[in-house]
Amino acid sequence: GTGTPPDLVGELFRLTLKLDLVHVPFKGGGEAITSTLGGQTPISFGAIAPSVPHIKAGKLRALAVTGAKRASAVPDVPTMAEAGYPEIEGETWFTVLVPTGTAKDIITRLHGEVARALVAPDVKQRLDVLGYEPLSSTPEEATARFKTDAAKWAKVIHDTGMALQ
């Protein structure tokens, strides 16, 4: 959909390479993959998790991942940087949020519990199967990432004239 991380990466790809591509919004990644599998859309940008089974079955060809490093779910697929386009980088990432003003001791405890869960063998194995790579960061690192990503994607939104809905 418009303004989602895959859309923003696709727009960055289009802008960087000065390509004539048209964004086709879908309600979710499943619909986008189905459209690409059916040949209605010749290229798709999406989260890796729903794509992995189709890539491994040889139904979709992964050209590159847009993360800073190769994805463990598809280790033979190069990054955009390895493919010669280091400026095209973007990842879908998830974080745990709490309301502003939450007590520091609660934040510290929650952070510790989430970090421990992410390295639990059963959780790590399940995330790996789905194509997600667990990464724990401090609350301060997450805040810094939010700020960096907000500035980066605000420029892409501005440069494309994208109207968010």
Side-chain angles (χ1 to χ4, degrees), residues 15 21 39 58 83 85 89 116 124 133 140 152 157 165:
L15 288 170
L21 298 175
Y85 306 101
E89 184 183 320
R116 272 190 289 286
K124 187 168 179 1
E133 297 186 39
E140 295 77 20
K152 175 181 182 173
I157 290 166
Q165 303 165 2

Side-chain angles (χ1 to χ4, degrees), residues 1 4 13 16 21 26 40 82 86-87 90 100 108 111 114 117 120-121 139 147-148 153 157 159 163:
T4 61
F13 179 81
T16 301
L21 298 175
F26 292 96
Q40 289 83 28
E82 291 173 321
E87 64 278 18
T100 300
T108 300
H111 173 261
V114 170
K147 290 178 181 178
T148 301
W153 299 121
I157 290 166
D159 291 352

Side-chain angles (χ1 to χ4, degrees), residues 25-56:
F26 292 96
K27 292 179 185 174
E31 287 183 12
I33 290 170
T34 299
S35 180
T36 304
L37 286 167
Q40 289 83 28
T41 51
I43 186 170
S44 178
F45 289 84
I48 195 164
S51 303
V52 167
H54 303 289
I55 294 166
K56 289 185 175 183

Side-chain angles (χ1 to χ4, degrees), residues 11-164:
E11 289 296 335
L12 179 60
F13 179 81
R14 183 183 66 77
L15 288 170
T16 301
L17 300 178
K18 298 177 177 57
L19 298 174
D20 182 19
L21 298 175
V22 175
H23 173 238
V24 179
F26 292 96
K27 292 179 185 174
E31 287 183 12
I33 290 170
T34 299
S35 180
T36 304
L37 286 167
Q40 289 83 28
T41 51
I43 186 170
S44 178
F45 289 84
I48 195 164
S51 303
V52 167
H54 303 289
I55 294 166
K56 289 185 175 183
K59 295 178 181 178
L60 284 178
R61 180 175 173 213
L63 301 178
V65 295
T66 60
K69 62 179 189 156
R70 290 186 180 209
S72 61
V74 285
D76 295 334
V77 178
T79 65
M80 288 296 285
E82 291 173 321
Y85 306 101
E87 64 278 18
I88 303 172
E89 184 183 320
E91 298 176 285
T92 298
W93 57 286
F94 303 91
T95 190
V96 176
L97 303 171
V98 296
T100 300
T102 299
K104 181 73 172 162
D105 62 323
I106 293 172
I107 292 172
T108 300
R109 177 155 184 214
L110 182 59
H111 173 261
E113 294 298 327
V114 170
R116 272 190 289 286
L118 289 176
V119 296
D122 59 330
V123 172
K124 187 168 179 1
Q125 179 185 12
R126 181 68 181 142
L127 292 173
D128 284 345
V129 166
L130 293 172
Y132 294 112
E133 297 186 39
L135 172 69
S136 180
S137 63
T138 67
E140 295 77 20
E141 290 168 334
T143 298
R145 173 102 186 241
F146 269 116
K147 290 178 181 178
T148 301
D149 278 8
K152 175 181 182 173
W153 299 121
K155 180 173 177 4
V156 171
I157 290 166
H158 176 270
D159 291 352
T160 62
M162 183 185 301
L164 298 181

